[in-house]
Amino acid sequence: MYKLVLCWRYLKTRYLALVCVVSVMLGVATLIVVNSVMGGFSAKLRDRLHGLLSDIVLEAYDFDGFADPEGKMRRIMEDPLLAREVVAMSPTLEIFAMLQFQFRDTPVTKPVRLVGIDPPTRSAVGGFSEYLTDPARRDKPGFWMDQAARDRFERQKRPEPLVFTPLGGADEPPPPEAPTPTPKTTQGAILGYAIAHFRDRQAKAEDGASRDRRTLQPGDEVVLTTVSGAKLAPVYDRFAVVDYFRSEMSEYDSQFIFVPLEHLQKLRSMEGRVTSIQVRLRDYDRAPAVVARLKEIFVRDSLDVQTWEEKQGAVLAAIRVEKGILNILLFLIIAVAGFGILAIFSMIVVEKTRDIGILKSLGASNWGVLQIFIAYGLLLGLVGAALGTLMGLAITVNINEIEHFLARATGQDIFPRDVYYFDRIPTEIQPLAIGLVNLGSVGIAVLFSILPALRAAMLHPVRALRFE
Amino acid sequence: MIAENATTPVLEARQVRKTYRRGAIATEVLKGVDLTVARGEFLSVVGASGSGKSTLLHVLGTLDQADGGEVRLDGERIDNAGARRRDRLRNQAFGFIFQFYHLLPELSALENVLTPLYISSSAWAWPFRRADAVRRARALLERVGLGHRLDHKPRELSGGEMQRAAIARALISGPRVLLADEPTGNLDEDAGAEIARLLRALNAEEGLTIIMVTHNLDMARSTDRVVRLTHGRVDLSPTVLGNRPAPGGHHSPNDGDDRLSLERRPASMAVLGAGASPPAHPEVFGVGHFPQR
Ligand SMILES: Nc1ncnc2c1ncn2[C@@H]1O[C@H](COP(=O)(O)OP(=O)(O)OP(=O)(O)O)[C@@H](O)[C@H]1O
Ligand SMILES: [Mg+2]
């Protein structure tokens, strides 16, 4: 009983002990904020890394791809396990290409990754239609042009083909091969958002918000040059911009151009061949079993079967390692708080030596005295951790407001949104992490109070009473 | 208190030795102390500074362990008791009072008095014991004249008041022996006299057994018996002041005890009986006769 009474009194009357509480509190709060922000960033990053990738990708090892995707998809659906797990599939043809267009009468050339897709099935697989900027197209994915784009296209239509300098410079380039069956109509293309826009930093300085300048409007014409399938001969065609693709993952937004799969197959003389099949699962947790089964089925087809996580393995691993190291470093903060407790407790034990003697003369046992100081440490840890958790959560929830305030107060942009494409600092409050942080900090507080507590308990009562 | 055979001394020390060692230097503080204390006796221990009075009190009260000899409480050996039993004895059988009061500064007077009960009670049992305990603590504080200072912290009390709170604390668990180490050593004359009067009253009215170490010879003289420690032993020379005349009336613990002591170890007590011998060293001990309470 006296243990509780004394603990409580000591906590109330020792202002020095508040230093321990504050240091534990700050440590816990920091850990929680950093964890939540890191968690938010990595969740967002994961999302974006997943982005275009379907849950599982069956991929050819080279650009020539593999034949008969329909037959393969049929084989997948015939397997009972896969039929149960697979929700959607879409064949895809991906190849490097050069994009050329006119901007303010100067020709512009950019390297891109050209992806031939079948919009309805690709949308079903996920990671496509939800990133389109035109809301109408999200409901009805496809390469159709709306009226405004069509008008612009008609207005700009030139009798002569677009002028562009062929690749290869002064040397005689291999003459571009005309596309085998000349298409009657110009096909639509969906461009990565960053391909068709650039950030105007001047504009930003004036009105505060950054502004994206568009270099290609819907209806503008572009030329895409790539190579044909097996022969690797250059081929090109004209496309009309119909929409933009904005996944907020700059790697994708600045490189990908989507065009109709069948048209790209014809352009490249692929005869129905594709480079990959995108697969969506009912439950991603069962991906390993599905991958194993797929590998079994396509063991002869020289197909690579990977989950999206395996494809992004290096980046994901880097995020994990980074988070782990950061947590370890931050835990040192709490260890520092622990040493504070050790120092302050040692002082309190010295200061309380006589009282310890008194308690023993009144019949308190060594164990009882030990308990007082351990409970005291526990109490400091608990109070510190509780306050720290509250503070950490408060900061996490209001982090954007705090950042705004700091940015205004200091005139420094702490979180440049255009770098990350985020409009808010992402946070993710992880109950498990918060629990662990609390447990760890209370544990450290108790651990570091054990040594002084033992010293107090071992004090000889007479020597303690004679202590001046 | 446990009802014991009237002839059994409440506390008895036999050939108690205590040596302090610091490195190679050993200081033998108690060199074989014999002492018998009867129930209800008010005994004072005098002696030069450093003669081992405090040490003896600590050994008797199980705060410290003797290196040799025996200590018996109501006939049972306690010097060799284990840690738990010693803790319990300190909590229930002995009450300590110190020169510097030794109250816990964080607690109010009332809480200080309650501390021994806090210690003996678990946190679960406390709510059930609390009301009764507080009543007893209040009554004791009233008894020592501190009824109006219940909620004061030690630093808000005078020395005399702190010592009275300390006495109440020593009494709360109904000890068999009260061990007082220079209870008036830090007080002015008036406050010291107050404390002395209080202890005498407790002894007379409640039959409390008290062993008091003191340098104040007037106080010593007013007790039932005086024992002098010299060089780690109970002084056998008839130099110690006599006691007041054998108390008649309400209680006379001394008679039995004296007889007992005389029978067992006729010479072990310094001076017994009613002011038998004149003081041999009046310059040390002051004058031989003493006011009655
Ligand atoms: N821890 C210790 N180590 C060594 N010597 C000690 C220790 N404690 C006490 N002593 C010695 O033991 C002797 C007796 O001490 P004690 O306190 O019992 O004397 P005392 O009679 O109470 O003196 P005073 O009247 O001044 O209170 C002293 O000489 C003291 O120096
Ligand atoms: Mg002393």
Side-chain angles (χ1 to χ4, degrees):
Chain A
M1 177 60 210
Y2 64 108
K3 299 151 201 163
L4 298 178
V5 174
L6 287 176
C7 269
W8 183 241
R9 285 303 154 85
Y10 286 177
L11 191 67
K12 276 204 333 201
T13 53
R14 298 294 112 164
Y15 294 107
L16 211 50
L18 292 183
V19 176
C20 299
V21 171
V22 169
S23 59
V24 172
M25 178 182 90
L26 290 179
V28 168
T30 312
L31 265 173
I32 287 178
V33 171
V34 171
N35 241 297
S36 304
V37 172
M38 281 282 293
F41 265 91
S42 67
K44 199 109 179 170
L45 200 58
R46 255 181 88 88
D47 257 19
R48 291 183 180 180
L49 284 173
H50 194 165
L52 281 188
L53 296 171
S54 60
D55 295 340
I56 291 180
V57 184
L58 282 82
E59 210 172 7
Y61 287 107
D62 79 11
F63 286 123
D64 198 25
F66 52 84
D68 190 23
E70 285 76 19
K72 291 190 168 59
M73 293 196 288
R74 221 177 300 119
R75 266 162 72 194
I76 290 173
M77 292 323 277
E78 278 161 10
D79 182 274
L81 169 82
L82 296 179
R84 205 167 49 242
E85 297 297 336
V86 172
V87 201
M89 284 182 287
S90 180
T92 307
L93 174 55
E94 189 179 330
I95 183 74
F96 290 100
M98 296 302 292
L99 168 77
Q100 289 170 296
F101 60 92
Q102 295 271 17
F103 178 62
R104 291 178 184 158
D105 294 325
T106 30
V108 179
T109 308
K110 281 186 180 177
V112 294
R113 289 160 76 178
L114 192 55
V115 189
I117 54 163
D118 169 41
T121 56
R122 186 63 188 82
S123 301
V125 163
F128 174 70
S129 56
E130 59 266 39
Y131 297 129
L132 297 175
T133 55
D134 181 356
R137 203 177 306 274
R138 283 181 215 156
D139 303 329
K140 193 165 154 281
F143 292 98
W144 48 267
M145 265 195 267
D146 61 16
Q147 196 53 48
R150 196 178 306 279
D151 291 349
R152 187 178 168 90
F153 181 74
E154 294 300 332
R155 223 174 23 250
Q156 291 187 342
K157 204 163 190 176
R158 297 167 216 210
E160 306 102 67
L162 194 68
V163 190
F164 67 93
T165 26
L167 308 163
D171 289 331
E172 188 62 23
E177 212 176 69
T180 359
T182 316
K184 296 269 184 323
T185 53
T186 308
Q187 295 288 328
I190 295 172
L191 271 58
Y193 186 82
I195 297 174
H197 297 80
F198 66 90
R199 281 274 146 95
D200 192 335
R201 283 169 201 280
Q202 246 65 44
K204 181 186 172 170
E206 281 154 26
D207 58 9
S210 61
R211 264 207 2 235
D212 294 341
R213 287 280 164 84
R214 197 166 265 191
T215 52
L216 285 166
Q217 307 282 345
D220 285 352
E221 195 179 60
V222 297
V223 174
L224 285 162
T225 307
T226 181
V227 291
S228 66
K231 282 195 279 177
L232 299 184
V235 293
Y236 71 91
D237 194 10
R238 295 156 193 233
F239 293 86
V241 176
V242 298
D243 199 359
Y244 311 100
F245 174 89
R246 188 174 190 177
S247 67
E248 304 213 318
M249 179 77 195
S250 67
E251 190 195 333
Y252 299 149
D253 291 354
S254 64
Q255 291 190 6
F256 279 100
I257 293 184
F258 296 93
V259 296
L261 172 64
E262 278 174 40
H263 184 72
L264 187 59
Q265 282 174 329
K266 275 187 214 138
L267 184 65
R268 294 191 59 213
S269 318
M270 294 286 280
E271 289 151 7
R273 298 165 75 86
V274 298
T275 51
S276 63
I277 295 175
Q278 316 268 331
V279 179
R280 178 182 188 146
L281 299 184
R282 189 182 310 282
D283 179 2
Y284 184 72
D285 291 342
R286 284 198 280 277
V290 175
V291 169
R293 188 83 191 99
L294 284 170
K295 279 184 175 160
E296 223 172 280
I297 295 178
F298 297 110
V299 70
R300 276 174 228 282
D301 293 83
S302 82
L303 280 179
D304 194 14
V305 184
Q306 279 180 305
T307 63
W308 77 269
E309 280 179 324
E310 286 164 345
K311 279 180 83 83
Q312 301 282 17
V315 185
L316 291 176
I319 295 174
R320 256 198 309 278
V321 168
E322 189 185 4
K323 212 171 153 183
I325 288 177
L326 201 63
N327 268 324
I328 291 170
L329 291 180
L330 286 171
F331 232 90
L332 290 181
I333 296 178
I334 299 206
V336 170
F339 277 104
I341 289 179
L342 184 70
I344 288 170
F345 266 44
S346 303
M347 282 175 60
I348 290 177
V349 168
V350 170
E351 195 188 333
K352 290 275 142 210
T353 298
R354 189 116 63 108
D355 295 9
I356 292 164
I358 296 170
L359 284 171
K360 289 190 170 176
S361 78
L362 297 176
S365 61
N366 291 355
W367 171 232
V369 172
L370 184 76
Q371 278 174 304
I372 292 181
F373 284 88
I374 290 182
Y376 192 31
L378 182 73
L379 204 61
L380 292 186
L382 282 176
V383 172
L387 291 178
T389 304
L390 286 182
M391 186 173 155
L393 290 178
I395 292 178
T396 305
V397 170
N398 297 308
I399 191 149
N400 283 287
E401 286 70 21
I402 292 170
E403 191 267 337
H404 275 307
F405 172 77
L406 287 179
R408 209 159 328 120
T410 60
Q412 283 285 314
D413 217 357
I414 296 162
F415 178 73
R417 279 157 172 74
D418 44 340
V419 170
Y420 295 100
Y421 276 118
F422 295 155
D423 49 350
R424 293 180 63 78
I425 300 172
T427 56
E428 185 182 274
I429 291 170
Q430 299 159 310
L432 181 73
I434 292 176
L436 284 178
V437 166
N438 272 285
L439 207 70
S441 52
V442 172
I444 283 183
V446 171
L447 197 73
F448 279 88
S449 56
I450 282 178
L451 211 66
L454 273 176
R455 237 188 47 178
M458 293 305 156
L459 275 175
H460 191 282
V462 170
R463 210 158 310 152
L465 281 173
R466 286 182 198 253
F467 181 82
E468 289 306 317
Chain B
M1 282 188 202
I2 298 167
E4 288 283 335
N5 185 339
T7 57
T8 313
V10 63
L11 197 64
E12 188 178 19
R14 250 189 235 166
Q15 286 302 305
V16 166
R17 297 170 180 284
K18 179 73 189 173
T19 306
Y20 285 113
R21 283 191 183 77
R22 176 153 287 164
I25 309 158
T27 325
E28 196 174 13
V29 180
L30 301 180
K31 300 174 182 166
V33 173
D34 291 314
L35 189 64
T36 307
V37 186
R39 190 176 320 287
E41 187 176 15
F42 190 171
L43 175 75
S44 51
V45 179
V46 297
S49 185
S51 57
K53 304 181 297 293
S54 297
T55 306
L56 175 64
L57 225 52
H58 294 151
V59 169
L60 291 178
T62 71
L63 258 181
D64 212 343
Q65 276 181 298
D67 299 320
E70 287 179 16
V71 180
R72 286 173 189 274
L73 178 72
D74 287 323
E76 276 181 64
R77 267 190 82 165
I78 56 168
D79 56 296
N80 56 1
R84 285 182 68 125
R85 176 140 180 259
R86 290 216 309 277
D87 290 338
R88 215 174 47 243
L89 283 169
R90 285 202 294 273
N91 187 245
Q92 325 231 307
F94 294 104
F96 284 94
I97 314 174
F98 304 98
Q99 181 178 0
F100 298 103
Y101 330 121
H102 286 344
L103 298 175
L104 295 175
E106 280 85 9
L107 306 183
S108 70
L110 184 69
E111 289 164 331
N112 262 295
V113 174
L114 285 170
T115 307
L117 300 183
Y118 286 159
I119 289 174
S120 62
S121 170
S122 73
W124 320 121
W126 181 247
F128 304 101
R129 292 183 56 181
R130 197 191 126 81
D132 183 45
V134 169
R135 206 164 35 244
R136 260 167 62 207
R138 278 174 190 277
L140 269 171
L141 280 164
E142 301 275 355
R143 175 77 178 83
V144 300
L146 264 188
H148 57 300
R149 291 273 191 275
L150 297 179
D151 296 322
H152 287 234
K153 293 278 163 65
R155 64 171 174 279
E156 296 156 354
L157 297 174
S158 73
E161 287 169 332
M162 283 197 263
Q163 196 60 290
R164 280 186 267 170
I167 292 173
R169 178 179 68 185
L171 296 179
I172 186 102
S173 41
R176 291 186 241 176
V177 181
L178 183 70
L179 301 169
D181 193 352
E182 298 185 42
T184 61
N186 216 36
L187 298 174
D188 64 40
E189 220 167 297
D190 290 348
E194 278 291 316
I195 296 298
R197 207 170 307 138
L198 177 61
L199 290 176
R200 273 199 305 271
L202 287 167
N203 170 249
E205 291 159 27
E206 260 109 282
L208 184 69
T209 311
I210 303 175
I211 304 176
M212 177 177 72
V213 168
T214 184
H215 283 294
N216 183 327
L217 295 171
D218 287 337
M219 248 189 107
R221 257 182 256 115
S222 70
T223 61
D224 296 341
R225 184 158 62 102
V226 182
V227 162
R228 185 176 186 218
L229 271 188
T230 324
H231 305 304
R233 287 204 177 82
V234 171
D235 197 341
L236 301 179
S237 62
T239 56
V240 177
L241 293 175
N243 291 322
R244 65 177 181 215
H250 50 270
H251 86 297
S252 54
N254 242 6
D255 300 337
D257 181 46
D258 288 349
R259 185 170 35 77
L260 189 78
S261 314
L262 284 166
E263 280 168 11
R264 287 228 208 107
R265 294 182 304 284
S268 73
M269 291 294 130
V271 169
L272 310 160
S277 37
H281 302 286
E283 72 282 4
V284 179
F285 285 109
V287 194
H289 282 94
F290 20 79
Q292 289 303 298
R293 54 180 131 140

